[in-house]
Amino acid sequence: MIGAIIGDIVGSIYEFDNIKTKEFQFFQPEMSFTDDSILTFATAQWLLEGGDVAECYLRYAQAYPHPMGSYGSGFVQWVYRSGKGVAEPYNSCGNGSAMRVGPVGWAFATKEETLAAAKTSAECTHNHHEGIKGAQATALCIFMARHGATKEEIAQAMTEEFGYDLTMSVEELQRRYSWRGIDGKGNGGICQDSVPQAIICALKATSFEDAVRNAISIGGDSDTIGCITGAIAEAIYGVPAELRTQAEQYLDAPLRTLLHRFEEKWGAR
């Protein structure tokens, strides 16, 4: 779980100020956890305690109302409506469903349970089929990696089961990818134009830190791509103790406590 948080923190200052290099100071004082981490923690809380995942997302959004970079506009409206009653999902395929799903990949013993929980975590807001698919693909990458699948096996599953094209190199993404997708013909804020890229950044890395550097270097929604990449990369490579210690310094006490509770139950790499 800490991998997702690190990716989010490192990407936080680049979301609206993209860079196209892997050469940057990894942690910087002006960085912060964003909505990506907040809702990842909400997912972890739901997995630990049960209940309605939508209520968990609402509680965390209310407890942390002004994160760095803000929440997505559709989610903000959903939170407002939820506070006045029961809000329906809004057919979103935004990458918010994938950014918050990381803990699901650690919490279940079977692929079927993992995919079902990822769907549940997504569809209370992101009930568009691409929003659900992005969450399921991310969670499955984590599940497969922690059960010993090779990077080649993970890539094959993503292509065969989700139709994702993972053939581009990180260097090609640095040239061609942005907030407007590949070659300006997409939208880096939606699952289908950010989840495959995040998976590439994780699979084509040499270490956890290299994966996060890959994610930041391609541009686009940097904190979210960093979060998704970091979540997957933790399961593949593990997270160095030094990076974990540095990242925890950005968190408040309740979030640190929740992180430790989650990892005590489901482990960490």
Side-chain angles (χ1 to χ4, degrees):
M1 180 174 163
I2 188 64
I5 309 308
I6 292 173
D8 174 43
I9 291 169
V10 175
S12 64
I13 62 172
Y14 300 114
E15 179 181 10
F16 302 112
D17 188 19
N18 287 173
I19 57 174
K20 292 286 186 172
T21 177
K22 294 168 66 171
E23 301 301 321
F24 56 87
Q25 183 179 337
F26 201 70
F27 285 114
Q28 301 177 46
E30 62 269 32
M31 291 174 174
S32 174
F33 65 86
T34 79
D35 60 316
D36 300 55
S37 291
I38 292 165
L39 297 181
T40 295
F41 278 111
T43 301
Q45 185 93 43
W46 167 61
L47 293 169
L48 283 165
E49 300 183 359
D52 185 344
V53 67
E55 292 181 2
C56 213
Y57 292 141
L58 175 61
R59 289 199 308 272
Y60 269 75
Q62 291 173 332
Y64 297 90
H66 303 294
M68 184 175 185
S70 189
Y71 295 96
S73 59
F75 184 77
V76 168
Q77 294 172 24
W78 179 85
V79 168
Y80 176 77
R81 294 194 302 271
S82 294
K84 294 184 174 296
V86 178
E88 295 297 320
Y90 47 98
N91 197 38
S92 175
C93 59
N95 53 21
S97 61
M99 78 187 188
R100 69 195 188 201
V101 78
V104 169
W106 292 91
F108 297 94
T110 69
K111 173 182 175 179
E112 292 73 22
E113 290 174 309
T114 300
L115 293 177
K119 182 175 185 289
T120 298
S121 76
E123 65 187 357
C124 60
T125 54
H126 294 58
N127 58 328
H128 188 285
H129 73 278
E130 289 287 354
I132 294 169
K133 185 170 84 171
Q136 289 183 316
T138 302
L140 183 58
C141 283
I142 297 166
F143 174 85
M144 290 182 69
R146 71 180 184 81
H147 282 277
T150 66
K151 291 192 284 187
E152 291 75 18
E153 289 169 337
I154 295 170
Q156 182 177 1
M158 293 302 105
T159 299
E160 293 180 352
E161 299 186 34
F162 298 97
Y164 286 157
D165 180 1
L166 306 182
T167 57
M168 286 192 186
S169 66
V170 173
E171 292 74 20
E172 189 172 4
L173 288 174
Q174 289 170 346
R175 296 193 304 271
R176 298 177 59 189
Y177 184 72
S178 72
W179 263 104
R180 297 181 300 281
I182 300 294
D183 300 330
K185 297 178 180 179
N187 178 355
I190 61 177
C191 280
Q192 52 269 50
D193 278 346
S194 58
V195 173
Q197 288 75 24
I199 295 171
I200 289 171
C201 289
L203 296 183
K204 298 190 176 181
T206 58
S207 66
F208 174 81
E209 181 176 336
D210 189 53
V212 175
R213 289 185 180 277
N214 284 344
I216 305 310
S217 75
I218 68 171
D221 192 357
S222 294
D223 60 330
T224 296
I225 295 175
C227 185
I228 298 168
T229 298
I232 298 168
E234 176 185 2
I236 297 172
Y237 308 104
V239 176
E242 180 182 356
L243 297 184
R244 171 186 294 273
T245 299
Q246 290 179 276
E248 287 195 27
Q249 295 174 6
Y250 290 84
L251 303 176
D252 62 24
L255 296 183
R256 286 196 299 272
T257 298
L258 179 58
L259 172 66
H260 297 159
R261 284 181 58 205
F262 184 88
E263 293 185 338
E264 285 170 6
K265 183 167 186 177
W266 283 299
R269 278 197 70 191

